[in-house]
Amino acid sequence: MIKKGIILVLGLILAYNSVYFKKLSDVRNQKSSNFDFNTYADSLYYKGILTQTKAVALGNLISAIQSNKESTFKTFGNRLGIGNSAYFMVEIKGNITSIEDGVIKVNTSENGVVSVDSKYIFGNAIRDASGLVKLTDFKTNADFNKVSEALNTIIREKALPATVQKLKVGDAISVTGALKLSKKENLELKILPVKIAIN
């Protein structure tokens, strides 16, 4: 009985010391991050993506992929982990064939009709295609994703609307934007634009 009692006491002591509970008051009192994601994204877009990011002509990219897929993905694509997909910053030129719910169809001489989605700009495509932001730059994935959210909002609500509102069928335009491609699948060519210019 004495041995069992000693073992029980030791077990309770070990269990108590192995579990750590943080006081709720301490959690509530922790200082939140003072990092301004909107200011960072603004600078990333206007001083980074628009001035530093080099876009490859979509026609040249497709030709290079057909010639040497592995080399092209490594040279022009950007991906954060392993996998068959990568993000590319590309540019196209062509004439608008239709505009519907923010999706601009552009007829290009080299790649046929390409979709440019100026309305539903979400996800990490633009951030990753730029190659200017690394996961190691931020402490958490949540913070890393906040960069995408802020960046997408600036492009979708601030940078593009004035130009998009002027567009009409038949206009000759140039578009620079992010494109996701996979080594295994022939995905639809849909670009998330970072810049649209009327030629």
Side-chain angles (χ1 to χ4, degrees):
M1 292 293 293
I2 295 174
K3 287 183 179 179
K4 289 182 179 179
I6 293 173
I7 291 172
L8 179 60
V9 171
L10 289 174
L12 290 172
I13 292 172
L14 287 172
Y16 177 80
N17 289 328
S18 64
V19 180
Y20 174 74
F21 294 97
K22 203 167 191 177
K23 291 181 180 179
L24 183 57
S25 59
D26 290 341
V27 175
R28 286 176 176 169
N29 290 331
Q30 281 184 333
K31 292 183 178 179
S32 59
S33 173
N34 292 323
F35 189 80
D36 190 333
F37 288 95
N38 291 325
T39 299
Y40 174 77
D42 191 86
S43 178
L44 175 64
Y45 176 68
Y46 288 103
K47 297 180 181 178
I49 293 176
L50 292 185
T51 61
Q52 299 177 31
T53 301
K54 294 182 179 179
V56 57
L58 180 58
N60 293 342
L61 177 65
I62 299 301
S63 296
I65 289 175
Q66 292 171 345
S67 176
N68 191 327
K69 186 177 294 183
E70 291 297 328
S71 176
T72 303
F73 268 67
K74 185 176 180 180
T75 302
F76 298 104
N78 187 42
R79 55 186 176 186
L80 300 180
I82 60 174
N84 292 308
S85 298
Y87 295 96
F88 301 81
M89 193 62 73
V90 299
E91 58 184 7
I92 62 169
K93 293 181 180 180
N95 294 85
I96 298 175
T97 60
S98 69
I99 303 173
E100 186 175 345
D101 196 26
V103 177
I104 306 160
K105 298 283 188 178
V106 183
N107 187 23
T108 67
S109 59
E110 295 180 318
N111 301 104
V113 177
V114 179
S115 296
V116 178
D117 194 341
S118 66
K119 183 176 181 180
Y120 297 102
I121 300 177
F122 298 99
N124 301 319
I126 294 175
R127 180 200 67 192
D128 294 346
S130 75
L132 299 175
V133 189
K134 298 178 181 178
L135 179 58
T136 52
D137 292 339
F138 296 88
K139 292 182 179 180
T140 66
N141 283 333
D143 285 348
F144 192 46
N145 289 331
K146 285 179 183 178
V147 173
S148 291
E149 293 173 12
L151 179 61
N152 292 339
T153 299
I154 287 171
I155 295 170
R156 185 179 63 247
E157 299 180 4
K158 182 179 176 182
L160 294 182
T163 301
V164 172
Q165 289 173 7
K166 297 177 183 177
L167 299 178
K168 59 185 184 298
V169 173
D171 281 349
I173 63 171
S174 300
V175 180
T176 300
L179 176 69
K180 181 180 180 180
L181 293 176
S182 171
K183 294 179 183 178
K184 289 189 173 182
E185 303 174 39
N186 293 318
L187 301 177
E188 178 188 0
L189 296 179
K190 179 176 283 188
I191 295 173
L192 293 184
V194 297
K195 182 181 179 181
I196 299 175
I198 302 174
N199 298 335

